[in-house]
Amino acid sequence: MIDAVALDIGETLTRDDRYWASWADWLDIPRHTMAALVGAVTAQGRDNADALRLLRPGIDVAAEYEARERAGQGEHLQEDDLYPDVRPALGALRQAGVRVVVAGNQTSRAGSLLRGLDLPADHIATSGEWGVAKPHPEFFERVLDVAGSAPDRTLYVGDHPANDVYPARSAGLRTAHLRRGPWGYLWGDDPEVRAAADWSITSLHDLLELVR
């Protein structure tokens, strides 16, 4: 029995192509180059921000982020950044009596933008707001606090094995690996990921059957 479903954000709920395209434009780099480097560091299991460090060795990513915000070229989220299954799937879960939590490694600004989209979720929070990020165990303690359910009755959904599946499982949560985005596709058929995840899914619509 699943009482609460908690979901990652990037490439689970939202597409990251606009995010990385905006960084490419800011650094005056072809968007294809940026996308290729993000893919390369992903395949190596590295932090995706390392793509920025490859392009600009010594870059202070946080300082550049603030500079973009001051220049009016900071983070933006709008309806077409959401994957098409997000609203109907989350709405169906809530109608089924399941508590829906959105919690991922994002900035405080991203949290505000997500809440501004009025998603069908009971709670939305980011690592920037909590002051702790995945895969740290404290992040999943916070997830359980806002979910209000026992670990074995809470399902965490995400695309990234190292940030989502493995640490959530270690924290005692049930897990679903989503085959979506670079990380989801890259590790979708990996035997270790398949073994670690309670379920492997291709759409958020699959979640309704799991909680039933």
Side-chain angles (χ1 to χ4, degrees):
M1 184 70 179
I2 300 296
D3 295 327
V5 173
L7 302 102
D8 173 47
I9 299 171
E11 291 303 337
T12 296
L13 302 186
T14 62
R15 298 161 47 117
D16 282 349
D17 48 336
R18 186 195 306 274
Y19 176 82
W20 289 111
S22 67
W23 269 111
D25 295 345
W26 176 256
L27 297 176
D28 195 23
I29 296 292
R31 293 183 176 186
H32 172 73
T33 300
M34 176 64 76
L37 285 175
V38 171
V41 298
T42 296
Q44 294 170 6
R46 295 163 59 179
D47 181 352
N48 52 22
D50 281 349
L52 303 176
R53 300 181 182 104
L54 289 171
L55 290 165
R56 292 286 186 272
I59 188 174
D60 184 333
V61 177
E64 287 295 323
Y65 177 91
E66 293 299 328
R68 288 183 54 193
E69 290 289 337
R70 291 194 298 270
Q73 298 182 40
E75 281 189 271
H76 293 282
L77 274 178
Q78 54 196 54
E79 190 67 24
D80 61 0
D81 289 313
L82 298 174
Y83 277 99
D85 57 359
V86 171
R87 285 195 184 278
L90 270 56
L93 288 171
R94 293 185 79 190
Q95 289 178 1
V98 176
R99 183 168 172 81
V100 175
V101 172
V102 173
N105 280 357
Q106 303 284 342
T107 63
S108 298
R109 168 71 172 160
S112 297
L113 293 170
L114 280 167
R115 287 187 287 274
L117 292 177
D118 194 26
L119 295 174
D122 297 288
H123 191 91
I124 297 174
T126 66
S127 59
E129 295 168 324
W130 282 349
V132 62
K134 298 180 291 185
H136 197 284
E138 186 183 341
F139 181 93
F140 294 94
E141 293 175 10
R142 298 293 298 268
V143 168
L144 291 171
D145 285 343
V146 297
S149 58
D152 62 350
R153 297 172 74 93
T154 305
L155 172 63
Y156 193 81
V157 184
D159 60 302
H160 199 300
N163 280 348
D164 301 325
V165 176
Y166 298 150
R169 180 184 177 88
S170 294
L173 285 71
R174 309 295 296 277
T175 60
H177 181 247
L178 176 62
R179 192 185 185 95
R180 173 177 287 173
W183 301 271
Y185 285 114
L186 180 63
W187 288 304
D189 296 320
D190 185 277
E192 291 185 9
V193 176
R194 288 274 183 165
D198 292 289
W199 296 283
S200 295
I201 61 175
T202 59
S203 168
L204 297 183
H205 289 303
D206 298 337
L207 295 173
L208 190 60
E209 288 302 314
L210 301 188
V211 301
R212 285 174 174 168

